[in-house]
Amino acid sequence: MLNYNGIPRWKNVKSTEFSNHIWQEANSVRNAHQLQEVLLDSTPPNMLKEINKGLELAPMVSRATPYLISLIDWDNWINDPIRRQFIPIESEMEPDHPMSVLDPMGEQKDSPTPGLVHRYPDKALFLVTHVCPVYCRYCTRGYAIGTDTDTVSKQSLGPTRARIESVIRYLEKNSDIEDVVISGGDAFRLQPEVLTKVCSELLNIPHIRRIRIATKGLAVLPMKITSDHGWTNAIIDLADQARRLLKQFSIQTHFNHPKEITGYTTEAMKILFSAGVQVRNQSVLLRRVNDSDEVMLTLIKMLSDINIQPYYVYVGDMTRGAEDLRTSLDVAISIEKSIRGRTAGYNIPTFVVDLPEGGGKRDVHSYESYDRERGIATFKSPVISNSREYRYYDPISYLSKQGKSYWNFTAK
Ligand code: SF4
């Protein structure tokens, strides 16, 4: 199990406390001051100033569980792949790409009722809540997730009865919809009664065949599965209920780095796998986190070993405040080529770009054109539009001198 006793504030914390989701939630760290209280004399020099300024610029609030804080190598905190995902620091942030926006997928324009995204004919995304156990710097839903920041006023997506009812009525009426993703926000944040009510109602709609529960929880708070019996039993009961109806019910989780998989994860997965709950993983390709063949292959193999199926790797979305975490499309293409064939095909994830402005997910190899000098790739997405061309833009820092000067010119 994880050696969290190396963190000064928690050196006397018992393993029964650390393994409890309530203790983890109560001791989560939200700002530089709280982090300093946890690290005490081990606080790296300059850390307070770096984080305070980083948070002023970020569109996402910060929150990290003690579990995550314990996974960070504080002697090398600047380069640590866990720290980079959750704690912004000023000196590494890059100016946003001129084409970056707060809602890069254009979800709000594809939302027929608040908190429901209906873009593909047979699929819908139900944003039940706007809160998460942690907040990722690169979140694609910076327009709504978490609380307001210095730079963003968020759209409210709280799990109110009226909003939930309105989404369920919409799903009932649209008989083309077979597949519903319950997301947000994070389903770890839903009370078991709410989770059960929402999913049971959806399972009882005849045309809905598949439900996926989106949660990053397994990667950031795995002790919820082992210690929050109400939540875990709700998931297992829903999976049983779906199986009796010959429908699918699964969890979609979000691991990005091998360090996120520990003994706590293994214990959580033992419970879910032995109860027949299918778990798939969606990673985001992130610079200086998992943008190498070795790290990605190790992650995939470790996930496979604990019966989490690697499903997608997303190229980073063109959201604001996380440009230093994006890679070029070429990096994704190169890693995919390198790892394909190095383990069973069903455990090799599909590398996709979720196209800006609602073009949907496309295989990274399926571009129509790719101007590497200016970093502009074009894609078609016939399921969304037969005529439209969608563009993905590489980070400007990856471009040649000529490419950089092109963007300096057009950005004015
Ligand atoms: S857990 Fe998901 S929804 Fe929440 S901040 Fe991270 S990416 Fe966004």
Side-chain angles (χ1 to χ4, degrees):
M1 284 288 175
L2 185 63
N3 180 19
Y4 59 86
N5 299 112
I7 301 290
R9 184 60 174 264
W10 300 326
K11 70 173 188 285
N12 296 321
V13 168
K14 296 188 183 75
S15 67
T16 46
E17 285 178 287
F18 193 83
S19 308
N20 185 288
H21 71 284
I22 297 172
W23 185 89
Q24 288 280 331
E25 296 272 13
N27 289 279
S28 287
V29 171
R30 296 178 181 80
N31 53 49
H33 176 68
Q34 289 179 346
L35 188 53
Q36 190 184 31
E37 285 184 344
V38 162
L39 297 177
L40 300 174
D41 290 345
S42 311
T43 304
N46 282 338
M47 192 195 77
L48 275 180
K49 185 170 158 283
E50 278 276 15
I51 297 178
N52 281 333
K53 194 69 190 162
L55 283 173
E56 265 175 39
L57 301 169
M60 298 294 293
V61 286
S62 184
R63 181 183 163 97
T65 52
Y67 175 71
L68 282 183
I69 298 291
S70 307
L71 291 175
I72 294 171
D73 174 1
W74 289 101
D75 291 332
N76 188 18
W77 69 293
I78 297 280
N79 294 313
D80 188 275
I82 311 290
R83 195 282 307 157
R84 270 184 60 67
Q85 296 178 63
F86 303 101
I87 304 175
I89 60 174
E90 182 192 18
S91 59
E92 68 186 359
M93 291 173 88
E94 288 180 8
D96 290 330
H97 192 286
M99 305 308 283
S100 295
V101 290
L102 209 50
D103 176 14
M105 301 302 112
E107 290 183 339
Q108 288 161 296
K109 79 172 169 44
D110 282 334
S111 181
T113 184
L116 184 83
V117 182
H118 187 192
R119 173 172 302 144
Y120 300 98
D122 72 345
K123 241 179 358 184
L125 174 64
F126 186 175
L127 307 176
V128 189
T129 177
H130 65 291
V131 289
C132 306
V134 299
Y135 292 106
C136 313
R137 290 182 50 215
Y138 51 89
C139 182
T140 197
R141 228 157 269 139
Y143 68 88
I145 302 305
T147 50
D148 293 350
T149 66
D150 286 354
T151 54
V152 182
S153 298
K154 309 272 173 164
Q155 180 190 339
S156 172
L157 289 179
T160 62
R161 183 185 292 265
R163 199 169 66 76
I164 289 174
E165 290 299 330
S166 151
V167 170
I168 291 177
R169 297 295 83 85
Y170 179 91
L171 294 170
E172 267 174 348
K173 279 192 212 131
N174 284 271
S175 56
D176 286 344
I177 298 175
E178 299 177 352
D179 193 327
V180 179
V181 179
I182 306 287
S183 185
D186 193 304
F188 251 37
R189 278 277 183 236
L190 293 176
Q191 293 300 318
E193 307 76 49
V194 176
L195 190 62
T196 300
K197 178 180 163 30
V198 169
C199 294
S200 296
E201 287 204 30
L202 294 182
L203 284 169
N204 285 329
I205 299 174
H207 55 263
I208 293 180
R209 307 289 316 159
R210 294 171 291 279
I211 296 177
R212 291 178 274 171
I213 303 293
T215 173
K216 191 170 171 62
L218 271 163
V220 298
L221 187 61
M223 42 287 281
K224 183 165 174 93
I225 300 291
T226 47
S227 65
D228 187 348
H229 305 297
W231 197 90
T232 305
N233 288 339
I235 288 285
I236 292 170
D237 289 347
L238 285 163
D240 289 344
Q241 194 181 326
R243 209 173 296 115
R244 284 195 296 275
L245 293 165
L246 302 179
K247 296 186 176 188
Q248 283 190 27
F249 180 89
S250 57
I251 288 180
Q252 207 141 281
T253 192
H254 175 182
F255 287 82
N256 289 329
H257 193 277
K259 271 175 79 168
E260 293 160 4
I261 301 170
T262 66
Y264 293 98
T265 333
T266 306
E267 290 306 308
M269 276 309 298
K270 272 186 199 161
I271 294 174
L272 295 175
F273 187 71
S274 61
V277 180
Q278 183 173 17
V279 183
R280 302 189 190 95
N281 187 63
Q282 304 191 146
S283 296
V284 180
L285 181 62
L286 298 168
R287 202 188 317 172
R288 288 175 44 222
V289 173
N290 57 13
D291 59 339
S292 77
D293 302 350
E294 297 71 31
V295 171
M296 193 58 83
L297 185 64
T298 305
L299 174 64
I300 286 165
K301 285 186 161 270
M302 287 176 72
L303 288 169
S304 310
D305 286 349
I306 55 171
N307 298 304
I308 296 178
Q309 186 181 5
Y311 173 39
Y312 276 142
V313 175
Y314 287 85
V315 177
D317 292 332
M318 298 202 55
T319 189
R320 292 206 182 135
E323 189 68 356
D324 61 289
L325 283 166
R326 282 205 306 134
T327 71
S328 66
L329 186 67
D330 253 345
V331 171
I333 292 170
S334 164
I335 295 176
E336 196 279 341
K337 278 185 182 159
S338 168
I339 64 171
R340 181 156 295 281
R342 291 170 77 174
T343 191
Y346 59 83
N347 276 332
I348 296 287
T350 305
F351 282 60
V352 292
V353 52
D354 208 347
L355 292 172
E357 300 183 43
K361 297 173 203 56
R362 294 277 112 185
D363 188 309
V364 291
H365 300 281
S366 69
Y367 55 82
E368 303 290 324
S369 67
Y370 189 1
D371 174 350
R372 286 174 168 80
E373 184 168 295
R374 296 173 186 183
I376 305 172
T378 65
F379 291 83
K380 289 273 173 66
S381 188
V383 71
I384 310 290
S385 160
N386 266 322
S387 54
R388 220 183 132 180
E389 178 186 88
Y390 295 89
R391 293 178 164 208
Y392 182 80
Y393 302 89
D394 287 342
I396 293 174
S397 55
Y398 277 71
L399 305 183
S400 64
K401 205 169 153 205
Q402 288 84 347
K404 285 189 176 114
S405 63
Y406 169 79
W407 284 107
N408 284 341
F409 175 73
T410 55
K412 279 178 193 162

